[in-house]
Amino acid sequence: MTSSELWTRATADRYDAEEAEAFSAAVLGPALTFLADLAGEGRALEFAIGTGRVGVPLRERGVPVVGIELSEAMAAVLRRKVDEDTLPVVIGDMATTVVPGEFALVYLVYNTITNLLTQDEQVECFRNAARHLAPGGRFVIELGVPPLRFLPPGQVAVPFDVSERHSGFDTFDLAEQILVSHHFTRDGDDGRYRREKSRHRYAWPAELDLMARIAGLELERRVADWDGSSFTQDSTKHVSVWRKPA
């Protein structure tokens, strides 16, 4: 067990509906193409596969996928979509859980490495990726750039969504590199809001590169999004690819 917070049954059951935009073809299409190209004829391992937002359609594209997932509730939602023989899932944490065989690709998307709340655990996640990769294989992470440029002195909160049915903002502990995501979601039309929050450890691209070096991986490519656009000082996220030397 790691420091990651567990997703509950209630959260898992409404996850797909609340993240509908992330399931759209416009979002998923470029990601699936990017990952399938890296996997080639090999197998892919998804850390924190969740409800299968990426893993299920990637498998449908012909890439053999195996998943690791900490939350049994999230894995149960995935299992409604695809059987175990088609897409095996091992219950465990992404920092230490080992599955059989070697993989051409290990990937971790949607900011999920931040669920590991210590630097040591994040380093172990990189080591676990390297452990599973065949020589020449790649580890891919999708992660937001910490939005600290929006924090003037004395401010600790940054909004990331303000819409009719949802308001979200992050609060930051700059000394510990911990952010807390706060969500206020309107359920139904009676005016009531459901409040949820989750803790995350944010990390800069350069810090991840050092973690990769510790794990014996080399940075191969960093782009601003799955479409391959250039990563710049103004990018709000990155997709980074590290390679295990052949």
Side-chain angles (χ1 to χ4, degrees), residues 9 32 72 76 78 88-89 101 103 123 182 184 208 217 229 231 233 237:
R9 171 68 65 185
L32 296 174
E72 293 187 40
L78 179 151
V89 175
F103 296 84
V123 169
H182 304 261
F184 295 84
L208 298 183
L217 305 176
S229 53
F231 180 76
Q233 64 178 2
K237 63 177 279 188

Side-chain angles (χ1 to χ4, degrees), residues 31 34-35 53 94 107-116 122 125-126 139-147 170 172 177 179 181 199-209 211 221-226 231-232 234-242:
F34 191 104
L35 295 171
R53 179 181 71 92
M94 56 188 165
Y107 64 95
L108 177 55
V109 299
Y110 216 34
N111 301 320
T112 310
I113 193 171
T114 66
N115 290 4
L116 299 171
Q122 291 178 353
C125 181
F126 272 83
F139 181 36
V140 176
I141 284 182
E142 176 192 23
L143 183 60
V145 176
D170 293 330
F172 292 84
Q177 276 185 228
L179 70 83
S181 285
R199 295 183 301 152
H200 306 267
R201 182 186 186 273
Y202 63 86
W204 300 95
E207 185 181 4
L208 298 183
D209 289 342
M211 294 180 188
R221 185 183 183 196
R222 173 167 291 127
V223 293
D225 209 339
W226 297 107
F231 180 76
T232 72
D234 296 318
S235 299
T236 59
K237 63 177 279 188
H238 62 98
V239 176
S240 296
V241 182
W242 297 274

Side-chain angles (χ1 to χ4, degrees), residues 15-86:
Y15 180 84
D16 286 10
E18 292 188 345
E19 298 292 337
E21 183 178 353
F23 283 80
S24 68
V27 173
L28 268 182
L32 296 174
T33 297
F34 191 104
L35 295 171
D37 286 347
L38 288 178
E41 299 298 318
R43 299 197 303 159
L45 172 62
E46 181 171 357
F47 285 174
I49 195 170
T51 67
R53 179 181 71 92
V54 175
V56 171
L58 186 62
R59 180 65 185 87
E60 291 172 351
R61 288 202 176 195
V63 178
V65 177
V66 177
I68 293 174
E69 174 54 45
L70 183 61
S71 169
E72 293 187 40
M74 294 288 278
V77 175
L78 179 151
R79 194 52 67 221
R80 300 171 196 164
K81 305 171 184 178
V82 63
D83 62 48
E84 176 71 16
D85 289 339
T86 302

